[in-house]
Amino acid sequence: GEWTGELVQRHRNGDTIEVEGRWTLVRGEDGSPQSILAINTDISQRKANEREIQRLAFYDALTGLPNRMLLMDRMHQALATAQRRQQGGALLFIDLDNFKQLNDTLGHDQGDLLLQQVAQRLNTCVRAVDTVARLGGDEFVVMLEELSPKPHELAMYARSVGEKILTMLAVPYALAGYQYRSTPSIGIAPFTGEFTGELASVGELLKQADLAMYQAKTAGRNTLRFFDPDMQAVVTARAALEADLRSALAQDEFLLHFQPQMRHTGQCVGVEALVRWAHPQRGMVSPAQFIPLAEETGLILPLGRWVLHNACQQLASWQKDPALAHLTMAVNVSSRQFRHASFVDDVARVLAITGAPSGQLKLELTESVLVEDMETTIATMEALRSYGVGFSLDDFGTGYSSLSYLKRMPLDQLKIDQSFVRDLLTDPNDAAIVDTIIGLSRSLGLEVIAEGVESTEQRELLARAGCQLYQGYLFSRPLSVDLLDAFLRTPAA
Ligand code: C2E
Ligand code: CA
Ligand code: CA
């Protein structure tokens, strides 16, 4: 019997050494095992050389990044993993604009320096699970993994990384004693587990990203393009909307509509302010389309301030008319806006500037605000409440707030989400939920209002269940200032 193999042994001085062992069993004359003849050869140096060869084979010598071979290997694995776990990913093909010019004018040494700095910057743009590789020349590839397989989310995430790379690589480089500017063109090829498991697919994916990169070059460089035209369309439309949204505030394209809130006796008790965007080309854009984008981009902060200011101006103007002076004004507040450090001061300032009666201002929050950071939320609400401002919990029943949260919040009102009201007559579950919410509000000592009330049947069912405040098309759609004025001056039937 003979055994050969490689072992890691500990040297007397504590170092580990790699050895190749060749062990032979020595038998006595009767054939029974007597001893083992072991010949161990130190192969540490040979192993180090092998590792070096490995490094040279799989890593780029100039930047230390994985090379094309290792990238292809990881792409195989990534596609298999994406398939197994139902995940998405994306390949970003990055090519520096005008790199040849730099090489020709400043020399290859400076070109090498630039490539090294680009490699370092790319590494700061990705997470640990992602791969940054250099294909050769001025071509780099970033592979993103473990993403959502939903096309829209996948596209948005890949775009955000692509834009980060555009920003990072555009920062001037210190080369040959001066500030050198360089930009990249980026092609993006997203993939999901559905990307066929054929052997050809890895090469195919790389080709897609490469093609998209050429489209970015054609489009004028320093930009990114998606291989998938549908994804490109999503991203382009969204980028256009974002740019429009930025200028809309300056151009004064927003306005407020107001939807009356009614008591069961037929009087109007107040209104909810709903923002509208009168876009010069698109027409009226629904807040459902631009509020999420405004939240993502941070534009919700100036927009929210604008809404608050204009709603409070309206509220203040009613004070001059005894017939309208009792009306309340409900204003929607996004989580990001509510969480902003200056929110309490902003509200206080707007109240002071407009002279609106703070006791008639009601801020509508959603359950997400309550859940995110309860202590801070309570502190912010208490601070606002000390000015007299009230709170309504919007879309109630769709979120996750527990009873213990509700008890601690200084709330005034629960607003039954319109999805429950919609199916009140047909879905016994919804009827039961509405009953529960009304019972809950009573036991917590809160007011309750139902939104999305469209029919008299719904109103009657709600009234029987004990809900006495309503908002919905049955009474009025959201109205412009002028139409609201007419509505308020029409005596209740
Ligand atoms: P929301 O706060 O739940 O507002 C109620 C939405 O339901 C409004 O849509 C309103 O027009 C609509 N609605 C009212 N009555 C009925 C009805 O009887 N039937 C039906 N089917 N719908 C009814 P809108 O104006 O498109 O607003 C959509 C969402 O946009 C709002 O939902 C709110 O979350 C957000 N939003 C609107 N204005 C602002 C704002 O100034 N700031 C913030 N942060 N969000 C706003
Ligand atoms: Ca609302
Ligand atoms: Ca609502």
Side-chain angles (χ1 to χ4, degrees), residues 272 332 364 394-395 415-418 451:
E272 175 180 6
N332 292 284
E364 292 199 1
D394 203 356
D395 306 338
K415 200 166 192 184
I416 305 172
D417 187 66
Q418 47 183 293
E451 70 177 330

Side-chain angles (χ1 to χ4, degrees), residues 1-145:
E2 182 164 318
W3 177 89
T4 52
E6 287 173 6
L7 301 162
V8 177
Q9 292 188 334
R10 195 161 291 278
H11 200 270
R12 266 183 293 274
N13 67 11
D15 290 349
T16 53
I17 52 170
E18 285 159 297
V19 298
E20 183 184 71
R22 188 180 289 276
W23 296 3
T24 312
L25 189 63
V26 181
R27 294 178 189 279
E29 278 165 12
D30 60 351
S32 60
Q34 287 206 318
S35 62
I36 290 174
L37 177 67
I39 302 168
N40 290 340
T41 321
D42 183 349
I43 54 164
S44 298
Q45 186 56 43
R46 194 183 87 207
K47 288 307 245 183
N49 291 345
E50 281 174 14
R51 272 194 291 273
E52 180 62 11
I53 288 165
Q54 172 105 348
R55 198 181 60 76
L56 290 175
F58 290 115
Y59 290 87
D60 169 50
L62 178 66
T63 61
L65 294 178
N67 64 13
R68 178 188 289 268
M69 203 161 16
L70 183 53
L71 173 70
M72 300 290 267
D73 187 55
R74 290 203 183 157
M75 281 171 67
H76 274 294
Q77 290 174 21
L79 286 177
T81 311
Q83 197 160 26
R84 202 170 54 245
R85 297 202 205 141
Q86 308 281 330
Q87 290 173 336
L91 213 60
L92 281 69
F93 199 112
I94 301 153
D95 187 286
L96 303 184
D97 300 330
N98 308 317
F99 181 70
K100 229 177 85 60
Q101 247 166 306
L102 166 74
N103 259 342
D104 294 347
T105 52
L106 293 183
H108 282 86
D109 289 353
Q110 298 305 314
D112 284 355
L113 272 180
L114 178 73
L115 293 174
Q116 285 170 337
Q117 292 183 36
V118 165
Q120 280 167 9
R121 293 185 189 184
L122 286 177
N123 270 322
T124 66
C125 293
V126 300
R127 304 155 306 161
V129 294
D130 302 324
T131 299
V132 179
R134 179 177 173 225
L135 290 191
D138 59 342
E139 294 177 343
F140 295 85
V141 167
V142 165
M143 180 169 65
L144 308 175
E145 291 187 67

